[in-house]
Amino acid sequence: MVSWVLRIVVAAALLGSAGVHYFLWTQGYSGITGTLFLLDAIAGLVLAIAVLAWRHWLPALGAVGFGALTLGAYVLAATVGFMGNHDQFNSQPEYWGVITEAVCIVGGLALMFVKDRRRATV
């Protein structure tokens, strides 16, 4: 039961981050940054499906990596600038992005170490 709840939470966080990046892409991010925002949206969707469909540690690791890389890129953009962007952490998409990416990291790590009880029963 705990495993499924964690899977749903991680998938929802991945979809939330994907939605934020898709929204920002539609708001006019262009060039290489816009391409990366669109790829982030697609990757979040694919990982969310994988987390729900495949009971393995790899999708959970993918969620952790997705959250860490995306959050790391945002922290760079909010502090020193990243690929021509300099954000200021003052908008709803930025707040939701940070929250969902942190949940991807924490939830993905937890999911990697939770045992599936249905496999343990003999």
Side-chain angles (χ1 to χ4, degrees), residues 16-34:
S17 180
V20 166
H21 286 90
Y22 181 75
F23 170 77
L24 291 172
W25 178 72
T26 62
Q27 297 302 307
Y29 279 87
S30 61
I32 188 71
T33 304

Side-chain angles (χ1 to χ4, degrees), residues 24-110:
L24 291 172
W25 178 72
T26 62
Q27 297 302 307
Y29 279 87
S30 61
I32 188 71
T33 304
T35 304
L36 292 175
F37 272 59
L38 183 58
L39 286 174
D40 213 24
I42 294 167
L45 176 62
V46 169
L47 279 169
I49 293 168
V51 164
L52 291 175
W54 189 20
R55 291 185 191 166
H56 197 268
W57 58 270
L58 276 175
L61 180 63
V64 172
F66 174 87
L69 290 173
T70 307
L71 187 58
Y74 177 72
V75 168
L76 284 174
T79 55
V80 297
F82 183 66
M83 298 186 74
N85 288 331
H86 196 82
D87 295 322
Q88 296 182 3
F89 196 64
N90 62 358
S91 70
Q92 288 290 326
E94 291 171 317
Y95 302 150
W96 284 113
V98 168
I99 291 167
T100 57
E101 289 148 15
V103 171
C104 286
I105 295 167
V106 174
L109 284 171

